[in-house]
Amino acid sequence: MSATVEYDERWNTFRVREGGKLMADGDGYPLAFDDRQDAEDMLTRRAELFAMARPLEVNP
């Protein structure tokens, strides 16, 4: 699923939308960034972390 960065004129911030929903923090508030580059950097870092993740090992 791809994420996009969009400008929110009402709050003068950049938001990240993934799968039709705004990405939110742990408290449910939409993530907001002062500039587009910060939002894009967050997406890049998130993708790097997912790429490094290993599957959990389950012992029977």
Side-chain angles (χ1 to χ4, degrees):
M1 195 173 296
S2 65
T4 58
V5 176
E6 59 187 43
Y7 181 66
D8 184 342
E9 290 182 20
R10 180 177 177 199
W11 298 103
N12 193 30
T13 57
F14 290 88
R15 310 283 180 156
V16 178
R17 186 174 297 276
E18 183 175 45
K21 298 171 92 176
L22 288 174
M23 291 180 73
D25 64 13
D27 294 325
Y29 294 103
L31 295 177
F33 299 90
D34 291 334
D35 64 36
R36 178 177 294 277
Q37 189 60 50
D38 287 343
E40 290 173 352
D41 289 347
M42 186 277 304
L43 288 176
T44 301
R45 182 66 183 140
R46 182 173 174 258
E48 291 169 350
L49 290 172
F50 276 111
M52 292 187 306
R54 295 181 304 155
L56 291 175
E57 294 179 13
V58 178
N59 293 325

